[in-house]
Amino acid sequence: MSEQKKMSLTVKVLLGMALGIIVGLILNLTGLISNSFVDTYIVNGLFHVVGKMFVNALKMLVVPLVFFSLICGVCGIGDIRMLGRVGGKSFALYMMTTAIAIATAIIIAVSFGIGKGMNVDSAAAFTGKESPPLTQVLIDIIPTNPVKSMAQGDMLPLIFFSILLGISMLLVGRKAKPFVEGAEIANEIMMKMVNIVMAVAPYAVFALIAKAVATLGLDLLASLAGYVLVLVGALMFHLFITLMIVLKVFSGLSPAMFLKKIRNVQVFAFSTASSNATIPVTMRTVTERFGVNNSVASFTVPFGATINMDGTAIMQGVATVFIANVYNVELGMSGYLTVILMSVLASIGTAGVPGVGLIMLSMVFTQVGLPVEGIGLVLGVDRLMDMIRTAVNVSGDATVSTVVAKSEGKLDIDVYNDPLAGTYNEEDIGEFDAEVEKEMAEAIEAAHKRDR
């Protein structure tokens, strides 16, 4: 009897969202929300407590996750002297595409005005703090007391200190190895904590969405549909327009050939929602299908999985505009520039695993004075959006790897232009399977002889 297949987290989150919408609509449309018992003990009682606890759990993970993942990301580069031109070009391109991604997302989201007209319950009495001037933001990047910055959750100083610490550990070299190994273990522990917190996400989604829909009614669904459409549109614009322009301008290669060969990587990234899990597939595609030399791909692909989070940056931009409009908070040019700067810097510390983007989003919200609770409005669809933006992330990794290899003369043009390069035909697969079966049969026969 085959083992019953367990329901995936994605399905559970979507189911929780659907049930939350249904329950919220029932409470709103039937007028039960006006019942004092329902309002006090269910909507603003049970739903509020469960949702708030989940939001607090996300906030709890922010500081240690950013700290350890940034250290591991910087140390993962290896010997600082080996970065050279490849490292410089890769870093510049990844940061440039991320900045373009977040700026494009904000422009598109502001143009469509998603979230406007939604009146959040005035009982919440939320007042957004005034964003500091950009000059002060730049000054505050360097912390006078990094421990105090961690305790207060000031992310920009924490990001700066973590990157500087990682570089210093690289420069110290072998003596710092125990510290590096300790940071890697701590980062794995934090990743496990993320998985534990995300395990209760479906129930939190149900509570957060049910409370929001019960309070806001059908207006939420209309605005949420707008959020999804704008986010998907911004992601597709970045994939098919921005990245392909970067590829054409900096390498002169065919975007059509690139999009044809990158499909399997995108499908795998979509199904796993993890840039890290997709690294083996990305590596094989860029080396065997695109013709990128392994000396370049072995650095640019893992490096990209660590710091290149174009899709996550786009989500942060669209979500920030959406929540700011919902709560009637005017961010202004200074606020949006802060979001762009934070998203670019935070992309270095955004681990390539499912769910971490929400934690980084809470960091951005805190920095610009938006309520972290607003994440609940987009949480229900985030898992699906995470799958799409991961496909955009790995496409960016492959784009930069190809551009850098071309500029360094480490790209086989004939392989790139060959549609069948790196593919296996049925005859090859049949011969390979036959050879494997033969070896297995010989191994089994040898084992039987030993047993006798």
Side-chain angles (χ1 to χ4, degrees), residues 66 70 134 136-138 140-143 149 153-163 337-339 341-346 363 367:
V66 169
L70 269 173
L134 184 60
Q136 189 61 42
V137 171
L138 293 175
D140 291 341
I141 286 178
I142 302 178
S149 298
D154 295 333
M155 286 299 109
L156 282 176
L158 174 59
I159 290 173
F160 177 86
F161 176 74
S162 301
I163 293 175
L337 289 175
T338 301
V339 173
L341 179 62
M342 285 205 63
S343 296
V344 172
L345 292 177
M363 175 188 72
Q367 191 69 29

Side-chain angles (χ1 to χ4, degrees), residues 83-360:
L83 290 178
R85 295 193 308 272
V86 171
K89 290 177 181 178
S90 301
F91 183 80
L93 284 171
Y94 283 137
M95 293 298 97
M96 181 191 73
T97 55
T98 300
I100 293 174
I102 180 73
T104 302
I106 290 176
I107 292 173
I108 294 175
V110 170
S111 299
F112 281 91
I114 53 173
K116 285 186 176 180
M118 290 179 61
N119 297 315
V120 177
D121 187 2
S122 59
F126 171 77
T127 303
K129 65 181 181 181
E130 184 178 350
S131 298
L134 184 60
T135 53
Q136 189 61 42
V137 171
L138 293 175
I139 293 172
D140 291 341
I141 286 178
I142 302 178
T144 56
N145 185 342
V147 176
K148 180 181 178 182
S149 298
M150 292 181 186
Q152 295 180 342
D154 295 333
M155 286 299 109
L156 282 176
L158 174 59
I159 290 173
F160 177 86
F161 176 74
S162 301
I163 293 175
L164 185 60
L165 179 60
I167 292 175
S168 301
M169 290 164 64
L170 278 178
L171 294 176
V172 169
R174 187 161 53 93
K175 291 182 180 179
K177 186 176 180 181
F179 202 135
V180 175
E181 292 176 347
E184 291 174 348
I185 294 173
N187 191 49
E188 289 185 18
I189 294 173
M190 294 310 304
M191 291 290 82
K192 184 60 65 175
M193 289 184 67
V194 171
N195 293 336
I196 293 173
V197 172
M198 291 307 296
V200 301
Y203 310 101
V205 167
F206 169 80
L208 290 165
I209 293 296
K211 179 178 182 293
V213 174
T215 304
L216 301 176
L218 294 175
D219 290 341
L220 170 65
L221 297 183
S223 293
L224 198 58
Y227 165 78
V228 171
L229 290 175
V230 169
L231 178 53
V232 172
L235 288 168
M236 293 302 101
F237 180 89
H238 185 73
L239 172 60
F240 293 107
I241 305 299
T242 303
L243 289 179
M244 293 306 98
I245 290 177
V246 169
L247 178 69
K248 188 67 177 178
V249 170
F250 288 97
S251 71
L253 298 171
S254 168
M257 185 64 70
F258 178 91
L259 291 172
K260 181 178 180 180
K261 291 187 174 184
I262 197 66
R263 289 175 187 169
N264 68 316
V265 179
Q266 293 171 336
V267 170
F268 195 88
F270 182 85
S271 61
T272 61
S274 171
S275 298
N276 288 343
T278 315
I279 286 177
V281 182
T282 309
M283 284 283 291
R284 178 195 175 273
T285 299
V286 298
T287 54
E288 298 183 18
R289 297 278 283 150
F290 291 169
V292 175
N293 190 282
N294 188 65
S295 63
V296 174
S298 61
F299 172 81
T300 57
V301 172
F303 190 42
T306 303
I307 73 167
N308 180 45
M309 295 291 163
D310 294 350
T312 302
I314 290 173
M315 179 273 289
Q316 291 172 351
V318 175
T320 299
V321 174
F322 176 67
I323 299 303
N325 287 337
V326 167
Y327 284 90
N328 295 314
V329 177
E330 184 62 42
L331 294 179
M333 183 59 68
S334 174
Y336 288 130
L337 289 175
T338 301
V339 173
I340 293 173
L341 179 62
M342 285 205 63
S343 296
V344 172
L345 292 177
S347 67
I348 302 174
T350 306
V353 297
V356 184
L358 289 176
I359 299 171
M360 296 302 169

